[in-house]
Amino acid sequence: MADSSSSLGQQQPEINTAVPQTARIWNYWLGGKDNYPVDRAVGDQILEAFPAIVENARASRAFLVRAVRYLAGEVGIRQFLDIGTGLPTANNTHEVAQQVAPESRIVYVDSDPVVLAHARALLTSTPEGATAYIDADLRDPDTILREAAGTLDFTRPIAIMLMGILGHIPDDDQARSIVRRLMDAVPSGSYLTMNDGTDTSEEVVEAARIWNQSANPTYHLRSPERIARFFDGLELVEPGVVSPPRWRPEPSTSGLPPEIDSSCGMGRKP
Ligand SMILES: C[S@@+](CC[C@H](N)C(=O)[O-])C[C@H]1O[C@@H](n2cnc3c(N)ncnc32)[C@H](O)[C@@H]1O
């Protein structure tokens, strides 16, 4: 078994159950059980202002699954760096990738102590592959890259996944410089896959306002155009930057799926 972890066992995570946390609220909307009353209270308040959030969370997660399947299948990627992992749920990145290619190696990164506390559920690798968990902050990409090198081979293509996390970095210049640092560290043929909330309806803007009053860390919506700029310098995979339900929907989907207030995309490093 090739499981490993850079962080597990080294520390007892301190879990704050008084302040709502993004990973736990997200888990609540996805139908999970790893959340506390404070998280459900804010989650419900947002649900009232923006009932589509549940559909939004599930459609975003479904994009993750289709994206990983595409990368592991059609593209042949065997290494994934999933930053802003969230709490373990159904179809975690390593499960989807290793179903297609058991030898896939996956490194998860999150800064939330609750995710760290549940990280063992992410370390159920196939014997041929490997999974690791790093307790680190996206704003410190050098630490992430250094620790990930214990599991991933940075001379071979890597898919970097930033799903629902860049909204936690409000400044575009800072967020772009983090993305650039990460993409500079991986070779040609590597991929950036991302998804984030957009300011495309009054309801979602109100939901973000409620979130930012109480939850930690704050979340900042961007326009689809601002999200598209994170792919500058990369070759966009068809159909480009779109609302998640419209990114390569399952062939069984009939008609054009309805849009949600998010933009997602995938870019290949030339
Ligand atoms: C909205 S959840 C998305 C979870 C998962 N990627 C998904 O798409 O379902 C955002 C995750 O990013 C993590 N996160 C937020 N800011 C972070 C940061 N600066 N560094 C590392 N993780 C962060 C949160 O703890 C949370 O687990």
Side-chain angles (χ1 to χ4, degrees), residues 120-183:
R120 290 211 180 275
L122 297 168
L123 301 180
T124 54
S125 176
T126 54
E128 305 92 320
T131 55
Y133 182 85
I134 301 172
D135 176 31
D137 197 301
L138 176 62
R139 284 166 293 197
D140 181 10
D142 289 340
T143 295
I144 293 175
L145 292 167
R146 192 179 56 247
E147 294 198 19
T151 303
L152 305 179
D153 174 358
F154 278 78
T155 66
R156 303 182 58 204
I158 295 176
I160 294 185
M161 305 185 33
L162 299 171
M163 312 291 248
I165 185 172
L166 282 177
H168 291 296
I169 312 277
D171 182 76
D172 278 26
D173 288 342
Q174 186 187 12
R176 264 205 299 275
S177 120
I178 292 169
V179 171
R180 209 175 311 118
R181 174 74 190 95
L182 293 169
M183 293 311 293

Side-chain angles (χ1 to χ4, degrees), residues 6-22:
S6 311
S7 301
L8 297 186
Q10 289 170 15
Q11 51 188 284
Q12 284 299 319
E14 249 186 52
I15 295 167
N16 186 343
T17 58
V19 178
Q21 299 286 331
T22 174

Side-chain angles (χ1 to χ4, degrees), residues 22-23 26 30 57 60-61 64 82-87 89 109-112 115 136-139 162-165 168-169 195 211 217 219:
T22 174
W26 192 250
L30 283 171
S60 297
R61 202 67 211 181
L64 179 150
D82 181 351
I83 310 175
T85 308
L87 282 156
T89 174
V109 182
D110 206 288
S111 57
D112 186 330
V115 181
D137 197 301
L138 176 62
R139 284 166 293 197
L162 299 171
M163 312 291 248
I165 185 172
H168 291 296
I169 312 277
N195 173 37
W211 177 288
Y219 189 85

Side-chain angles (χ1 to χ4, degrees), residues 221-233:
L221 301 167
R222 291 187 162 92
S223 64
E225 294 73 27
R226 281 169 69 197
I227 291 182
R229 291 215 48 207
F230 290 120
F231 293 97
D232 283 357

